[in-house]
Amino acid sequence: IAVPSNVAAYTSHTPVIITGDGAFTPENGVTSGSGTQLDPYVIEGWDFESGYAGIQVVTTSAHFVIRDIYTHNNGVGIVLRNVTNGTVLSSEVYLNWFGWDYWGIVIDDCTMVNIFDNNISIHDRGIYVRSSTLCNISGNNLSMDNYGICLEDSTNCVMSGNTITQSYISAVQLDHCEDNTVHENSITDLDSGQAVVLQNANGVMVSKNYMSHAVSAFSVVGCHDVHILDNVLERSEASGAYVTGSHDVIIQNNTLSEVFSAVEVLASEN
C-alpha cells in the first residue's frame, strides 16, 4: 500500500470538529454551499493529520459533502456522529493508527449517510457503522484493515460495489443488525480472514459477491431470515458456508470451487 500519489494536491488543515449546523464555517474547512439538498456544504481539498480524528461532524441535519480530502496519521480518519444527510466521497483515508481507536471512517447513530468511492487502508476497522440506519456504502476500495466493513446494531444499510482486499479478520461483518444488503462486492486475498460474517444479523441479503482466497465465504451464527444467493467463491481453506444456531437461511445458486467443504450446518433449522 503506497501513500496516495496526489498528496501534494491537498492543503494542510488542523483537525476539525463541527458540532451543530452552525459550525459549518470556512474556519472549519467549508469551501462552499449553504446546507440544502441541492447546495450542500462542501469540505474538500484538505490534508488532516495528527488529531484524534482528521474531521468530526456531530449532531447535524444540514446536507454536507466531505470530498477529496486526505486524512492520515490520526487515531480515526473521519467521524460522523448523530448526523443526517452526510456524504463522504472520493477521499483518501490512510493509516489512522496512532494512539486511539484505529478506525478509518466511523458512522455512529446516523441516518442517511453515504460513503462513496473512497480509498481506505491500514486500520483496525476500515468503515465502522454502529446504531445507524439507511446508510449506503458503495464503490470504496478497502485494503489491509482487520475488518473491512463492520456494522453493529444497524438497519436498512446497503454495502455494494466495494473492493475489499487483505482483511485480516473479516471483509464484511454484521453484528446484531436487521435488514441489510451485501451485494456485488469483490472480496479477495483473505488468506487469514473470512469474507462475510453474520452474527445475530437477521433479514440479510447477501448476493452476487465475488470472493477468493478466504478461510471461509460465509459464517452465519445466531441468525434468521438470511438469503445467500448467486455468489462466487474460489479457493477457501474451510467451508463455503458455515451455519450454526440459525433458522430460515436460504443458500442457493452459489458457485464454489476449490473449497474444503461446501456447507456446514449445525444446530439450525429450515
Side-chain angles (χ1 to χ4, degrees):
I1 300 298
V3 172
S5 59
N6 59 339
V7 165
Y10 301 101
T11 301
S12 180
H13 198 293
T14 56
V16 163
I17 301 176
I18 292 172
T19 302
D21 291 342
F24 283 107
T25 63
E27 291 77 15
N28 282 331
V30 175
T31 56
S32 64
S34 60
T36 67
Q37 185 173 1
L38 296 179
D39 185 32
Y41 292 119
V42 175
I43 299 169
E44 68 177 334
W46 302 116
D47 178 338
F48 297 108
E49 183 178 12
S50 301
Y52 163 69
I55 182 167
Q56 299 180 69
V57 182
V58 182
T59 314
T60 64
S61 59
H63 292 261
F64 69 89
V65 177
I66 298 170
R67 69 185 181 205
D68 295 317
I69 69 163
Y70 177 35
T71 176
H72 60 112
N73 298 335
N74 303 287
V76 180
I78 299 169
V79 176
L80 307 183
R81 179 170 291 118
N82 190 25
V83 160
T84 304
N85 302 319
T87 296
V88 180
L89 174 67
S90 300
S91 292
E92 303 285 343
V93 183
Y94 175 78
L95 192 63
N96 293 285
W97 197 284
F98 291 89
W100 290 282
D101 293 316
Y102 319 132
W103 301 330
I105 299 175
V106 178
I107 306 167
D108 184 15
D109 193 24
C110 293
T111 302
M112 293 188 291
V113 164
N114 302 309
I115 308 296
F116 293 158
D117 302 327
N118 302 282
N119 295 319
I120 302 165
S121 59
I122 314 180
H123 304 93
D124 179 48
R125 302 180 184 194
I127 299 174
Y128 182 23
V129 182
R130 59 189 180 192
S131 303
S132 297
T133 188
L134 296 171
C135 296
N136 192 335
I137 301 166
S138 299
N140 302 283
N141 297 307
L142 299 104
S143 59
M144 299 180 67
D145 305 299
N146 285 333
Y147 302 87
I149 301 172
C150 183
L151 267 67
E152 295 180 358
D153 300 304
S154 295
T155 61
N156 294 298
C157 296
V158 175
M159 293 141 280
S160 67
N162 301 287
T163 299
I164 307 173
T165 62
Q166 294 177 279
S167 296
Y168 300 112
I169 298 175
S170 60
V172 177
Q173 181 149 336
L174 279 61
D175 294 332
H176 295 89
C177 293
E178 300 276 347
D179 302 324
N180 296 288
T181 300
V182 182
H183 179 66
E184 288 191 340
N185 301 283
S186 174
I187 299 171
T188 61
D189 297 321
L190 309 181
D191 290 330
S192 62
Q194 301 181 64
V196 179
V197 176
L198 309 178
Q199 299 182 156
N200 299 297
N202 307 315
V204 181
M205 171 65 75
V206 183
S207 62
K208 296 186 178 181
N209 300 282
Y210 172 77
M211 295 154 287
S212 71
H213 294 87
V215 170
S216 67
F218 310 106
S219 176
V220 181
V221 179
C223 302
H224 63 78
D225 298 301
V226 173
H227 292 72
I228 299 174
L229 309 176
D230 302 313
N231 301 281
V232 175
L233 170 64
E234 298 177 348
R235 301 178 187 172
S236 169
E237 295 179 6
S239 59
Y242 173 78
V243 181
T244 184
S246 300
H247 64 88
D248 296 295
V249 177
I250 296 173
I251 302 173
Q252 184 175 331
N253 294 335
N254 300 283
T255 302
L256 290 78
S257 61
E258 297 183 56
V259 299
F260 182 78
S261 63
V263 180
E264 296 182 52
V265 180
L266 301 173
S268 299
E269 59 185 24
N270 294 332

